[in-house]
Amino acid sequence: MTARELDAAGITDPALRDAYTRCRTLNARHGKTYFLATRLLPIERRPAVHALYGFARWADDIVDDLESDATPAQRAHELGRLQDRLADGLRSGDSDEPVVRALAHTAAVYGIDHQHFTDFMAAMRADLTVTDYPTYADLRAYMHGSAAVIGLQMLPVLGTVVPREEAEPPAAALGVAFQLSNFIRDVGEDLDRGRVYLPADLLAAHGVDRGLLLWSRATGTRDPRITEALKAAADLTRSVYAEAVPGLRMLDPVARPCIRTAFVLYGAILDAVADDGYSVLHRRAVVPRRRRAAVALDGLARIAANRLRTPAQDRYRPVPEGAAPAARPAFTRQDAEEAA
């Protein structure tokens, strides 16, 4: 976390500044795509996004870190300990655990519903015992906690030009689309963790089951049935991206370049998987650096264009829940439709 970002966000307490810095480090290390997109946000909003994603990455590491030799029981214990600290932190607004301290502060400043964090932790607990999902409906129920709520947590930070509840369904869909993209890219790594996130009914429709996936992973041999199943999963994921599209124009204009950049880059994961011949069981598909840079530059151009056409005094700034009506943005639904 740069001092400039923390200063802009009004974060002055040394311990709190250290807490946010730790969250930024977690986000930068684990979430390269979203970390890049976050840098397109107004400077004062970035610490809150790092707190949300830093906490999510920390919890996910407890469950999934392949380099750790922790037993399932030890992982469950650590996750339970984190759950307790989270509950205490959200209740008191502070914590002796830095990542929780930053999260609790962000939740308080932006009025984020605590239920979103409860649902997220329930999904993390499921990862300790659930190894596959029979249907897409089952997977989608899991992803409410593991992905959709991340989009819902983000909305108060990003700001909206429509009532927040109107923007929530597409925001949730975008979180799901991002995670589905990762599931397709990471099929091989997830198998190594003992999990299959692609729904069993989708796989079975193409003659694929866990045994075939394991055989392909172990032997390095490709199978056309797996390729077809992955293509079907990619088509499903693109349909979820379509659910999310209307939400982009519901966001505060100055936040849109960030989310649009994430939208394009996560979608590009599907393109990278296809370009690599759907070989995700044998190697990790990577979005080319040149592509990432081009998308980021486009985001910067959109920020500049928005600043040129929006007077400084009219630019939206998010405020905590309960702020006086006069502090609320003056954007209308028409603004949402006309802004780029």
Side-chain angles (χ1 to χ4, degrees):
M1 188 70 59
T2 66
R4 196 165 64 93
E5 290 172 343
L6 294 166
D7 292 343
I11 300 168
T12 58
D13 177 79
L16 193 56
R17 289 170 74 92
D18 287 345
Y20 274 101
T21 299
R22 179 168 177 182
C23 290
R24 185 182 191 273
T25 300
L26 286 168
N27 194 11
R29 184 168 70 238
H30 293 293
K32 291 182 173 59
T33 296
Y34 206 83
F35 181 76
L36 173 63
T38 300
R39 297 181 69 177
L40 299 176
L41 278 176
I43 189 171
E44 72 277 3
R45 306 191 203 183
R46 296 175 200 167
V49 175
H50 292 315
L52 295 173
Y53 271 80
F55 177 83
R57 295 309 315 179
W58 187 33
D60 191 63
D61 276 352
I62 292 174
V63 175
D64 279 344
D65 187 1
L66 286 173
E67 296 181 3
S68 170
D69 57 1
T71 66
Q74 289 170 330
R75 293 179 192 268
H77 174 75
E78 283 300 309
L79 200 61
R81 185 165 170 266
L82 177 59
Q83 174 85 56
D84 292 341
R85 287 186 166 189
L86 173 64
D88 290 343
L90 292 175
R91 183 168 50 251
S92 67
D94 196 8
S95 174
D96 60 358
E97 169 51 56
V99 176
V100 175
R101 176 184 292 130
L103 182 76
H105 181 261
T106 289
V109 168
Y110 288 94
I112 300 173
D113 189 343
H114 292 182
Q115 186 63 44
H116 298 329
F117 303 110
T118 300
D119 292 346
F120 172 75
M121 292 302 294
M124 294 299 97
R125 289 195 302 274
D127 276 338
L128 294 172
T129 57
V130 179
T131 60
D132 53 51
Y133 292 88
T135 69
Y136 178 59
D138 295 319
L139 180 64
R140 192 84 184 227
Y142 160 77
M143 288 191 295
H144 168 75
S146 64
V149 297
I150 304 297
L152 298 176
Q153 292 168 20
M154 285 283 293
L155 269 185
V157 179
L158 298 173
T160 61
V161 295
V162 298
R164 190 182 301 168
E165 59 270 17
E166 186 176 336
E168 286 179 345
L174 189 58
V176 170
F178 288 170
Q179 187 166 62
L180 284 171
S181 298
N182 286 342
F183 284 164
I184 293 170
R185 180 195 61 196
D186 297 339
V187 171
E189 294 175 20
D190 288 330
L191 267 179
D192 295 342
R193 298 183 177 101
R195 301 194 205 107
V196 177
Y197 284 109
L198 300 184
D201 58 351
L202 181 150
L203 295 173
H206 299 276
V208 179
D209 58 15
R210 180 188 288 261
L212 183 61
L213 295 174
L214 288 169
W215 169 82
S216 179
R217 177 74 167 168
T219 64
T221 305
R222 298 182 57 182
D223 188 290
R225 292 170 293 178
I226 295 175
T227 299
E228 290 306 309
L230 291 168
K231 288 180 179 178
D235 288 342
L236 174 63
T237 302
R238 292 189 190 282
S239 74
V240 182
Y241 276 105
E243 293 177 36
V245 167
L248 296 177
R249 286 183 175 269
M250 297 179 186
L251 298 174
D252 170 15
V254 300
R256 287 177 206 166
C258 165
I259 302 305
R260 183 186 180 279
T261 296
F263 184 100
V264 173
L265 288 177
Y266 274 94
I269 291 173
L270 301 179
D271 297 332
V273 168
D275 291 344
D276 198 35
Y278 295 91
S279 298
V280 291
L281 283 165
H282 313 125
R283 56 182 174 267
R284 185 185 180 95
V286 177
V287 178
R289 185 172 297 178
R290 185 180 306 171
R291 169 68 167 152
R292 290 163 54 87
V295 174
L297 287 173
D298 179 69
L300 289 172
R302 288 171 181 269
I303 290 171
N306 179 70
R307 287 176 176 168
L308 284 173
R309 66 171 171 263
T310 307
Q313 67 270 19
D314 292 336
R315 293 176 195 156
Y316 176 78
R317 289 294 179 269
V319 295
E321 287 295 297
R328 292 294 182 181
F331 281 96
T332 66
R333 187 180 299 272
Q334 183 178 357
D335 294 323
E337 294 170 352
E338 293 178 351

